Amino acid sequence: MLTIGTGNKAVAAAVKAAKPGVVAAYPITPQTEIVEQLAEYVTTGELESRYIPVESEHSAMAACIGASAGGVRTFTATSSHGLLYMHEMVHWAAGARLPIVMANVNRALGPGWNTWAEHTDAFSQRDTGWLQVFVGTVQEAYDATLMAFKIAEDERVLLPVMVNLDGFTLSHIMQSLETVEIGDFLPAYHLPHAIDTENPCVYGPMTGPADYFRFRWDIERSMRDAKGVIADVEREFAERFGRSYGPTEDYRCEDADVIVVAMGTLGKEAEVAVDRLRDEGIKAGSMRLRWFRPFPDLDLSGREVVVIDRDYSFGFGGVVAHSIRSKTGIVPYSVIAGLGGQEVTYNDIADFVRNRHPGEETWFGVSDHV
Amino acid sequence: MPGGGGAKLSLQMVTNVDERSVNNLSAIPKEEYLYKCTSACAGCSSSLCLRYVLKAAGPDTVLVVPACCTSVIQGIYPGTAMNVPVYNIAFAAAAACASGLSDALSARGKETNVIVYAGDGGTVDIGIQSLSGAFERGTNFLYICYDNEAYGNTGMQRSGSTPLGARTTTTPGGKRTAKKDLDRIVEAHNPPYMATACSAYPLDLYKKVKKALSIEGPKFIHILAPCPPGWRYPTEKTVEMGKLAVKTGTWILYEREFGKLSINGPSKAAMRKPAPLEDYINGQGRFKNLSPEIASEIRQQVERNIQRLSREEAGIC
Amino acid sequence: MYEIRIHSRGGQGGVTAAKLLALAAFRDGKYATACPFYGAERRGAPVVSFVRIDDQPIKIYSQIHEPDLVIVLDTSIMDVVDVLQGLKSGGTVLLNSAHAIAGCNGTCRHVDLTGIALAENLVVAGSPILNTPVLGALAKMDIVTLPSAEQAIREMFADERNVKAAEAAYEELKV
Ligand SMILES: Cc1ncc(C[n+]2csc(CCOP(=O)(O)OP(=O)(O)O)c2C)c(N)n1
Ligand code: SF4
Ligand SMILES: [Mg+2]
């Protein structure tokens, strides 16, 4: 059905279609609309699911862990401080190999309180073993959420997936949204290690130095396999529903001399900047990085690269800029922009490209840095 | 609860509070520590309460505020409506942060009041662990929970403190479980002083804050703070709503000093002859379309609570 | 692309007006986005919302700095906010007002949305509803068609008085 909706509503609609057995979530701006919409679906009976109104995010993820291990599909949504407050359980969910799907509405961290978009919250969960995808449109929020369940539950993966969307800029914008009849796109939930009294197992017992690393390696092996699974699921999705996605979304990159790499909504805004730059004769392209974990193989050889980081790793640099550098060997021009919802327009992005200095780092809006 | 010696000393200090000086509004100092330029909604009672709390506490006070409406009410950087130091802290962390602050100030030889001003969600839900910890270890501070019975800051989702039957955005069909009894949880920590209050009785609140701050150890005040957008009533009815909560016996004003209960004037009368519960409930959109079963369960809860406290005060156990 | 900035106060329905407008444009077969700018303020504080309408998919997420049309749902805001800031030359202003207001350059239109809402008794928690009548005015200005405006209102509100209010604004606005 073709309609229009917000990023948050799109996520909720996809979750409704995926029919989770348990939703456990806690409100936080700008994610709350997802929780509220799901509570409403459950109340009206549009979604036959248990809605667990937990008292904190730590408990939200813990409840999802219990439910997922107990043998049902589970979903939660959070943002910013909520994601950080559940951090211990975020690690736990991946270590326990549970295919939980979580929407994270990207938002900056306090102090001071700031409810606007930034990617630091998600990146702070980088090493937990979760797959992470970043979306750029309302439609993509819907599609990626649906695909997340299928990818997570694939037996070659069995890892949780975090779907990231920018706070307010995407969570609250109204755009067109086409919902689909999912049919048998999502098979029935099957967790090979679900708790079963017929087959008594102990989960997560004391595991010594001689064994522990094997379980860690097993996570990494699945992360590597996940690349193929993601590609398979995205291909099947395109065949069934006509919308295709990949590890990146490339725009006018074929003949580009300079490529802007950004994530989320800034990655879409960059496409408008590219059109402007092309009008001026600058052969620019845009590569919107969608998957952050597993980190995709990128082909940027022979191009200049401008990376926009809506995040920062203090004492080190922009997380995406450094990831690109270590994965491709290219030394990009690193721009730190959009922190805490800082307004960044396509004109600003075009300026980043015009004024690029590969190897340097610039903080947008800060004039007194070296 | 602090040791026996400290307790005796505190009792003496309690009797030092001059009752006469706080029996009329003119006794309340004119000094403002919360200016009128707040970002609160029209008719917000919790910001009003904060004003009286600070008047009672005076300038040698630090406020600790977890995520809640007060995070916004205090003003947006670089402006502020506050005239005492305010330490904003993460949602779950207020009482623990206050423990550190209180110890640091006393280590520096100061007698500064440390007051947590937290919402019900930050108290009964995500913050209950740090609240319990601070009361058990005897932190010298005053913890105030202003209770608007939902998560106001995020747009009125249920909290553990939302009453049975109330509609919130996460309980669109009405909440199915009862309000968590925060006061009995705090009571189980045996604090030297705890009290309930209501925004419609600012003088009573003022006195209670004064008294609490004169006592050493962990103190607690639970304020019922009606909220027009959350409870869905017209903004000008805020005072009336608070009065009705007390007059119907839904909210009982009392104090507990070293465990001993005394019920305060307005509630004494209300408990003898409570006003009809409908007067309170029917004026609020959040209780629209209550089923007769839920309505009767709410009534029974109110009656049980009145009975429990009356019996306790009368010494019948 | 046609860019619209809506000024209102928190709680007056500016955000919903933006959504309704985007929905109506979408029902006209256009691409449309509506994005409110959420500040930290509460009820009563000035808020802005942005609507973009185009024949192509819209990829811009930043705020609208040079609108084609500025809508002011509460003219008291004009004392504190420069509502005309960045308005394109030849741009239009639509005011919720019973009469014209001096100092508004460019094409300036006005319609008494508050009066229309009160006449239809469209009042929630003491405030008149402005977001549905304004759609009628926008239809009169050919931003969206009247049938799409009415359809959008019906999709979001069950109460037919909202449609009547939009029709009244359509009639009342002079172009
Ligand atoms: C860890 C974490 N989870 C969620 C939030 C979002 N949040 C901020 S305030 C709030 C609700 C506060 O409710 P309450 O304590 O009752 O205070 P009120 O807003 O009603 O004044 C929530 C859910 C947060 N800031 N941090
Ligand atoms: S939501 Fe309620 S408690 Fe919060 S500022 Fe508004 S009136 Fe006050
Ligand atoms: Mg509250």
Side-chain angles (χ1 to χ4, degrees), chain B residues 48-89:
Chain B
L48 206 77
C49 292
L50 180 55
R51 197 170 148 236
Y52 285 102
V53 166
L54 292 175
K55 278 174 181 280
D60 191 11
T61 299
V62 183
L63 209 60
V64 178
V65 179
C68 58
C69 280
T70 308
S71 322
V72 182
I73 288 172
Q74 62 183 262
I76 316 297
Y77 176 87
T80 182
M82 309 296 305
N83 197 17
V84 292
V86 177
Y87 208 80
N88 287 292
I89 194 72

Side-chain angles (χ1 to χ4, degrees), chain A residues 25-29 32-33 35-37 39-44 51 53-58 81 85 107 111-113 115-116, chain B residues 65-68 71 88-92 121-122 124-127 129 151 153-158 169-173 176 180:
Chain A
Y26 195 71
I28 182 164
T29 308
T32 307
E33 213 183 358
V35 176
E36 291 174 341
Q37 184 68 63
E40 173 147 352
Y41 284 149
V42 171
T43 305
T44 58
Y51 178 87
V54 285
E55 74 290 349
S56 77
E57 290 85 359
H58 193 273
H81 285 268
Y85 197 66
R107 161 185 155 183
W113 289 121
T115 56
W116 294 273
Chain B
V65 179
C68 58
S71 322
N88 287 292
I89 194 72
F91 200 13
V124 309
D125 292 338
I126 200 166
Q129 172 171 322
Y151 296 163
N153 188 41
T154 40
M156 284 297 150
Q157 298 77 33
R158 89 192 277 285
T169 58
T170 46
T171 54
R176 298 226 192 110
K180 197 189 272 193

Side-chain angles (χ1 to χ4, degrees), chain C residues 38-96:
Chain C
Y38 286 89
E41 293 82 6
R42 272 150 219 266
R43 277 186 167 206
V47 290
V48 279
S49 317
F50 307 103
V51 180
R52 290 186 166 94
I53 302 174
D54 202 357
D55 297 324
Q56 308 291 322
I58 299 159
K59 300 170 176 180
I60 305 175
Y61 288 84
S62 49
Q63 298 172 25
I64 293 174
H65 299 279
E66 294 179 358
D68 297 277
L69 168 64
V70 169
I71 301 171
V72 185
L73 290 182
D74 182 339
T75 50
S76 75
I77 285 174
M78 294 164 78
D79 300 336
V80 280
V81 178
D82 177 10
V83 298
L84 299 179
Q85 198 184 26
L87 181 66
K88 280 197 187 121
S89 64
T92 312
V93 181
L94 173 65
L95 304 173
N96 169 24

